[in-house]
Structures are given as C-alpha cells and as structure tokens.
Amino acid sequence: MSEPRDRGTGKLAGAAPADDRIIGDQQRHWVETFTANPEMYGPEPSEPGRHAAACFVAEGLSAVLELGAGQGRDTLELLRRGLEVHALDFAPDALADIAALAGPELVGRLRATVHDVRRALPFAERSFDACYSHMLFTMALTTEELEALAGEVHRVLRPGGLCIYTVRHTGDAHYGAGRSLGDDRYENGGFVVHFFDRPLVERLAAAFELEDVTAFEEGDLPRRLWRATMRRR
Ligand SMILES: C[S@@+](CC[C@H](N)C(=O)[O-])C[C@H]1O[C@@H](n2cnc3c(N)ncnc32)[C@H](O)[C@@H]1O
C-alpha cells in the first residue's frame, strides 16, 4: 500500500495549498491551546489508552509508535505498562512536556519526534510492534492524506503488528456543525475535525485485518468516537 509522494517534501503528490494552510493554522492552534491549557485532557489516561496498553502487554508487544501524543496522558500509561514508546506530534512543546512528566524512571523508554503526519513517517519499515493514536486520524487530514498515513503505518509496523486508533464519527453531535472544509471536515472553535463514516474506516484498513470497531464516548459534549483495531497482514 503506497501512495505517490513528492520527492522533495515527502508530502502526498497533489496536496492542495488550501490544505497546507489549514494544517499550518491547526499546528499554531494546537501549540497555543496546549500552552494555555497545560492539562487540556486531564492527567488520567483515556479509556482507549488503557485498553491499548492492556492489549499490547497481553500480546507481549514492546515497541509502540504513538501518533498525535499531545500532552502525553496515554504516552505515560503506555510507559508505565513497561512499553517502549516513540511519541510523535507536530506540537514541540507538548512533546517536551511529556519527557519532563515521564521523569527519570520512565524517560529511558521514551523517544519523541516532532513531525507532521502528512509527511512520510521518519522510521524504517517494520520498526514497531504496535501503533496507537487517540484522535489524530480525526484531525484536519483529507481522506487522501489519511490513506497515505495508513500506508505509512502499515510500512513501519511488523507483520502481525497492531494498530489501535480512535476517531470521531458521523453520529457525533458536532458532525455538520461549524464551517465545512469539505471531505466531512468541519471547523468549530478553531479546531478542525474529520468525522469518519464506516466506509472510511474500512478503506484505511485495506491492507490490514480490521479486527474490531467499538463505539465509545468521551468528555462532556460528549464526543462520540470509534476505536478501530486493525492488524497488519
Ligand atoms: C485531539 S488531540 C489528542 C492528543 C492526545 N492523543 C490525547 O488524546 O490526549 C490531537 C493531537 O494531534 C496533533 N496533530 C494534529 N494534526 C497533526 C499532524 N498533521 N501531524 C502531527 N500531529 C498532529 C495535535 O498537536 C494534538 O496533539
């Protein structure tokens, strides 16, 4: 599963300048929001974070790539469960804060990389046992960019490796509200969300076995999400 990419930038060939502008705005927005809210999602791990950590440990997996780690509530949980975690996000200060929060006991198993997931992942093929991502796939990315990202996750996972990711779906109260950016993406309060329908989950799993899709809710709104589990063939 590979997508055509621009040789110079590693970006998907044909990515529109409008989408570059959207992502640039989103990056600034996330950096500012994290700076203003040092515990935006609270200090406790999320439910999918606990679930993913338990699954990875139960399968005896070790090297985990976390996409969109944010302020690290789930990164810390993965580390506490004994996993090696490579946390990736395009918000540099948030990643630096995770290293500080991890402290001397956990930091030895933490790596962090500042990276925009619209570009090829900066890792060798088959270098991770698992990938975990809470609410990164549901950001401002277009369907084309998401397909390329799923291809990259497939490339860096070992055969049999697990990918557990979460997304807001079209049953969410905010679906259709705010400014439409096309491709089921809506901007609300400065944040852009791509709301998934079931065919999109299946499309991203084309080169994987889609093992499970579980609906859950998070927060006061509440956000309505799916947790998708797919295994690399
Ligand atoms: C909704 S937050 C979730 C953070 C964290 N997973 C959690 O649940 O606490 C989404 C995260 O994705 C990051 N992000 C959004 N678009 C990104 C992109 N194109 N490349 C890398 N990170 C991105 C944001 O900086 C933010 O940390």
Side-chain angles (χ1 to χ4, degrees):
M1 194 175 175
S2 71
E3 297 286 331
R5 288 179 180 279
D6 178 281
R7 282 196 191 163
T9 63
K11 273 196 329 190
L12 208 86
D19 289 311
D20 275 347
R21 202 169 51 245
I22 291 168
I23 295 280
D25 289 347
Q26 287 298 289
Q27 184 175 20
R28 272 188 296 283
H29 194 60
W30 276 108
V31 168
E32 287 166 12
T33 304
F34 283 148
T35 304
N37 303 277
E39 282 193 347
M40 182 169 172
Y41 294 106
E44 296 298 316
S46 69
E47 278 311 303
R50 289 185 212 273
H51 170 85
C55 284
F56 299 158
V57 169
E59 292 211 6
L61 306 181
S62 169
V64 179
L65 170 63
E66 184 183 6
L67 299 175
Q71 292 168 314
R73 59 178 169 158
D74 293 334
T75 320
L76 294 173
E77 174 67 4
L78 294 162
L79 289 168
R80 281 192 293 261
R81 298 296 303 264
L83 296 154
E84 310 259 338
V85 185
H86 201 127
L88 184 147
D89 204 289
F90 67 7
D93 294 355
L95 287 183
D97 289 348
I98 301 176
L101 285 170
E105 274 184 34
L106 302 179
V107 80
R109 279 184 281 105
L110 173 67
R111 298 282 175 279
T113 297
V114 179
H115 185 78
D116 178 350
V117 296
R118 292 178 310 149
R119 295 180 167 75
L121 295 176
F123 308 113
E125 60 184 44
R126 303 183 176 201
S127 44
F128 293 98
D129 300 318
C131 174
Y132 169 69
S133 185
H134 188 18
M135 296 192 289
L136 175 277
F137 282 68
T138 202
M139 294 287 99
L141 307 164
T142 62
T143 294
E144 202 179 3
E145 288 164 348
L146 286 167
E147 286 183 305
L149 177 58
E152 281 295 283
V153 170
H154 187 274
R155 182 180 66 77
V156 303
L157 276 181
R158 299 192 179 106
L162 269 187
C163 174
I164 299 180
Y165 73 90
T166 71
V167 287
R168 289 172 77 176
H169 60 71
T170 51
D172 189 286
H174 270 165
Y175 175 57
R179 184 167 67 105
S180 171
L181 301 176
D183 211 5
D184 274 340
R185 295 173 304 161
Y186 291 87
E187 191 234 296
N188 238 309
F191 291 108
V192 177
V193 174
H194 190 147
F195 293 89
F196 274 49
D197 58 15
R198 180 71 191 220
L200 182 52
V201 174
E202 281 163 20
R203 210 160 148 177
L204 299 192
F208 297 80
E209 292 298 335
L210 183 59
E211 293 193 339
D212 178 60
V213 181
T214 295
F216 69 103
E217 294 183 354
E218 186 179 89
D220 295 333
L221 185 63
R223 295 181 209 96
R224 296 210 167 87
L225 300 114
W226 285 327
R227 185 190 71 220
T229 303
M230 49 190 201
R231 191 179 297 276
R232 186 205 197 279
R233 291 196 188 112

